[in-house]
Amino acid sequence: MQDWPTTIADEDSLEEVLSRPDPALVTDLAAVPGDILVLGAAGKMGPTLCRLAKRADPSRRVIAVARWSEEGLRARMKSWGIECLAADLTDRAALAALPDAPNVVFMAARKFGSTGNEALTWAMNVLLPAMVAERWAASRIVFFSTGNVLPLVPVGSGGATEDTPPSPIGDYAASCLGRERVFQHAAASRGTPCFGIRLNYAIDLRYGVLHDIACKVRDGVPVPVTMGHANVIWQGDANAWTLRALRHASTDCPILNVTGPETVSVRQVAGAFAQRLGRDAMFNGSEAPDALLSNAARAFALFGYPRVPLARMLDWVAGWVAQGGRSLGKATKFEVRDGRF
Ligand SMILES: NC(=O)c1ccc[n+]([C@@H]2O[C@H](COP(=O)([O-])OP(=O)(O)OC[C@H]3O[C@@H](n4cnc5c(N)ncnc54)[C@H](OP(=O)(O)O)[C@@H]3O)[C@@H](O)[C@H]2O)c1
């Protein structure tokens, strides 16, 4: 049983907790020797994914690639022992100049702003994966996808499984299905071992479904409940499974749903935050009979259950927003039902 803190006071503590390795990760990484190259490493998940890999195996070279749009991030990651390279991945010459590595994690993607600039979204989510799959054809590649490729399913269904036929709504989701197909094709046609992480929704304390709901409750803003249910997973668990998936990359290109075990009720969570924050929760709309839900039973069978349970996440997020902890200001828009992001 992990000895988690009851509260998380600041971002240093948060990033320490997010990057705590467990024995299963150490074991699985030992089965995939060699450098780990992380493409698109400067977003919400990449920095602590890199740090997690480094802490799991301090002797390992972990190389993070991004354009480094966020000031100070590169220096912070260097202080964690991570090599940081600057490149625009859409530039073929820059891609060619990046190092070879036996292990690649592909994280770059485009979601918000897709409506109105669909062409760029398809370029980022389909063209770029094709370039990456070609450039690192001899590597193991773990790539991110999203539960958005799946249809809305009845709330009582337990979530869409990997056997549910994809049915993306809108250009963002369709382009993400395109990314899955590109890597499946690379695995089948070139023999590149691949693995897809179909994620919804990772959370830390600065962003995510729980953060968004907690801020609304704290600020007296009505919580929209038409998309009345969701799945969440602690970002540290999602990142650990992503690194462990390197071991399971294969020419079959498995693509697994990755999220927590609960069908989380937005209304219930808002009520839990109201109680913790001493506020009244207000609501907008009423629950639809269906929602964007995925069933991660196969991932649990492969990796075990997430280490951080929902109740712990609720405590941490409530404490964070109550103390005015930093928000990334990046709303998840989990309430969107028409695929327009
Ligand atoms: N977080 C979630 O809950 C969630 C849910 C479903 C799927 N996913 C997927 O999981 C992956 C990781 O999530 P995330 O939340 O960390 O994503 P993110 O915040 O969008 O981070 C991706 C990072 O990639 C870098 N990047 C973008 N374009 C680039 C380019 N042309 N060249 C080099 N670097 C580039 C960016 O950093 P720079 O601007 O510094 O280059 C960006 O911060 C993404 O593919 C995302 O779509 C995440």
Side-chain angles (χ1 to χ4, degrees), residues 39 262 267 275 296 304:
L39 303 171
E262 297 92 353
R267 187 180 294 272
Q275 200 177 28

Side-chain angles (χ1 to χ4, degrees), residues 250-262:
S250 82
T251 52
D252 294 337
C253 189
I255 299 175
L256 292 198
N257 294 341
V258 165
T259 193
E262 297 92 353

